Amino acid sequence: MTYSKKELRQAYIARLQQLDLNTRLSEEKRLVSMLFNQPEWMSAKTIGLTLSQSFEIDTAPILLHARHEGRTVVVPRTLPKRQMEFVEINEETNFDESSFGILEPHDGRVYAPDEIDLMVVPGVAFTKEGQRLGFGGGYYDRYLSKYHGKTIALALPTQLADAGEWTPDEHDLALDRVLTLPEC
């Protein structure tokens, strides 16, 4: 039986929401530690991140670590026509809540796609081959079509999908790497 992307999205979000909190925190901590040891992270001066929602991997520790290491952190701000731009955040940044209920920087320097070294891309589910099931708005696919830096995603075990679980659309771009926990 084949499921639509919308049905798969709902199922994966439900799985994330039902994950045991202690298990989730332990898995997130291990994944984030793995990220900090990746060559893409070590060489990046400017990192694109999202401000996570409750069911997503918590990006606050990533953001704090990057800032502690002196890296520039940029986060998305949505624009009309399902577009977005990435804006630098720091201690003085003011935020507005978007129509999606996500905090976005009100002001700050906008970075062009070629000024971002590494993009940590969010999603609902991922394959080990780099396919991503996003949130359905197409914002990241549109942005990534103009972005040529490194892309990486963090996938909890419950977010790992089998290749072929959904058929990528022609505008869906594969990520350079999906970090997952080693299988025991």
Side-chain angles (χ1 to χ4, degrees):
M1 176 174 225
T2 327
Y3 295 97
S4 70
K5 281 185 171 182
K6 183 178 180 181
E7 291 168 321
L8 285 170
R9 197 173 285 117
Q10 291 169 339
Y12 275 99
I13 290 173
R15 285 168 64 174
L16 281 168
Q17 291 171 328
Q18 294 166 2
L19 197 56
D20 172 72
L21 183 59
N22 288 330
T23 302
R24 181 190 178 101
L25 291 173
S26 170
E27 290 174 351
E28 281 186 17
K29 188 175 181 181
R30 289 169 50 211
L31 267 178
V32 168
S33 292
M34 286 172 61
L35 172 65
F36 299 150
N37 291 317
Q38 300 307 307
E40 299 93 330
W41 176 273
M42 291 189 230
S43 65
K45 290 179 177 48
T46 302
I47 297 171
L49 271 180
T50 56
L51 299 175
S52 53
Q53 299 178 67
S54 62
F55 61 87
E56 295 179 280
I57 289 177
D58 185 6
T59 56
I62 301 170
L63 190 154
L64 293 171
H65 187 79
R67 301 266 307 132
H68 176 75
E69 291 184 333
R71 300 174 200 277
T72 300
V73 176
V74 294
V75 299
R77 177 168 58 200
T78 54
L79 301 169
K81 299 183 180 171
R82 295 184 183 238
Q83 300 290 318
M84 65 181 183
E85 61 189 3
F86 278 78
V87 182
E88 180 178 3
I89 61 170
N90 56 40
E91 294 78 17
E92 285 84 46
T93 302
N94 294 308
F95 294 91
D96 297 320
E97 191 172 318
S98 74
S99 58
F100 302 108
I102 299 169
L103 291 178
E104 296 183 345
H106 176 75
D107 42 22
R109 178 174 171 236
V110 174
Y111 276 63
D114 64 354
E115 294 179 291
I116 303 169
D117 303 310
L118 174 65
M119 186 75 62
V120 180
V121 182
V124 176
F126 305 91
T127 66
K128 288 181 180 177
E129 297 77 27
Q131 290 302 319
R132 169 184 165 271
L133 183 64
F135 297 94
Y139 286 87
Y140 265 89
D141 290 315
R142 283 181 190 81
Y143 192 86
L144 292 175
S145 70
K146 301 175 283 197
Y147 174 75
H148 304 293
K150 298 290 184 189
T151 55
I152 200 163
L154 307 179
L156 296 169
T158 194
Q159 292 179 283
L160 271 183
D162 294 326
E165 204 166 314
W166 66 85
T167 304
D169 295 322
E170 67 179 54
H171 62 266
D172 290 344
L173 300 170
L175 303 175
D176 294 326
R177 183 171 345 181
V178 175
L179 275 186
T180 61
L181 296 175
E183 294 179 26
C184 299

